Structure formats: C-alpha cells, structure tokens
Amino acid sequence: YIMTEENLAIGTDEDGDGLNIKLEQEIATDPLLADTDGDGLPDGIEHKAFSNPLIRDSDSDGLIDGFEDKNLNGRVDFDETSPIELDTDKDKLCDGQCRIRLPNGKTIYKGEDENLNGEVDTDETDPRNKDSNDDGITDYEEYVQCLSKEGTDC
C-alpha cells in the first residue's frame, strides 16, 4: 500500500487511450476522449511517440498525424512519414505542403504530398525518398531547376 495525502490515479484510464487520468491532467488532454485532437492517433500513442496529442498536425507539415502514422502504432514504418518531422526524407521539401524559401529569396507554398491525402499520387514526389525518380538529383533540386527554367508544371 502507498500512503499519500492525495489520491493517486494509478491505473485509472477512463477513455482507454493508454494514459492515466493524472497524466491526462498534466498534459491537458481530455480524460474522457481517447483522441483529444481528433487526428486518429490515441493520446497515449502520441504522448509516447513525442507527437502532440493536442494538435492534429504535430510537425506543421500539413498532414494530419493519423495520415502520417497510418497503422497508428507510434512508429514510422517503411510506408509512412513522421508525424514529428516536417521533412521525413530531408530533401528540403516538407512531407505535406509548407512555406519554403527558394534560393532567389522568394517564398512559396510547396511540398511533396500536395493534396494532403497521405498517399504518393502520380504527380507528386515521395516524402520518404529524397530522390523519388532515382536520377541522382533530389526532389527539391529538381523543383528549383524547373523554376529557374520558368517551368509551368513544377
């Protein structure tokens, strides 16, 4: 037995998200709602994976955390992007759609999953592979080269 002045919320998890009520209070999640931010990932998974259970898009890349962690296990698997890294493949293009500064100083909105559906569509680059077409030039470099040639389908 543990003797304390305050009641301990040991083992009490009213919403089944893997967090006891005391921890839910500490991190300000809803103790009666398994997914406080509505992104598809239970609060407990987000807390353990270091994503934010109060924000649907923890890394601000435009993709909802539950789209990035498709199997909702709190790990980045081979067919997923990271819900806590803006740019999973580190090619200077965010996983979803973000504001980026080009070498000429111009700021634009661009990313790899332009329609934010969590899938790699035919007109998009792969946010898990910095060189989606395996030609030795990163996706970002190809995009900048296209813009410098005043391409219209960049």
Side-chain angles (χ1 to χ4, degrees), residues 12-152:
T12 305
D13 180 10
E14 297 294 321
D15 57 8
D17 63 1
L19 301 176
N20 68 35
I21 197 164
K22 180 77 170 151
L23 187 53
E24 296 243 30
Q25 290 169 346
E26 288 175 14
I27 64 174
T29 54
D30 187 332
L32 300 177
L33 190 60
D35 181 15
T36 299
D37 60 9
D39 63 0
L41 286 172
D43 296 340
I45 296 285
E46 288 205 74
H47 181 69
K48 290 175 185 127
F50 304 106
S51 61
N52 190 330
L54 301 173
I55 300 174
R56 291 170 53 93
D57 179 13
S58 295
D59 58 7
S60 300
D61 64 359
L63 294 171
I64 296 170
D65 295 347
F67 280 3
E68 296 199 76
D69 185 2
K70 295 175 187 176
N71 61 5
L72 311 178
N73 68 356
R75 293 187 305 270
V76 180
D77 298 309
F78 79 97
D79 63 338
E80 300 173 334
T81 55
S82 172
I84 60 172
E85 289 185 48
L86 184 69
D87 180 13
T88 299
D89 63 7
K90 312 263 189 284
D91 65 355
K92 297 184 184 175
L93 290 173
C94 70
D95 297 339
Q97 194 175 65
C98 312
R99 187 174 64 182
I100 61 171
R101 183 176 297 278
L102 297 173
N104 65 5
K106 183 179 178 184
T107 301
I108 60 162
Y109 285 89
K110 178 69 178 164
E112 301 200 72
D113 186 359
E114 298 256 349
N115 61 5
L116 307 176
N117 69 352
E119 302 292 328
V120 180
D121 298 313
T122 55
D123 58 338
E124 298 173 333
T125 55
D126 188 342
R128 300 159 306 177
N129 181 350
K130 67 174 65 178
D131 181 11
S132 295
N133 60 5
D134 296 320
D135 64 355
I137 302 170
T138 69
D139 297 334
Y140 173 79
E141 291 168 336
E142 286 183 13
Y143 180 69
V144 170
Q145 285 177 7
C146 180
L147 287 179
S148 69
K149 295 175 184 172
E150 297 184 11
T152 58

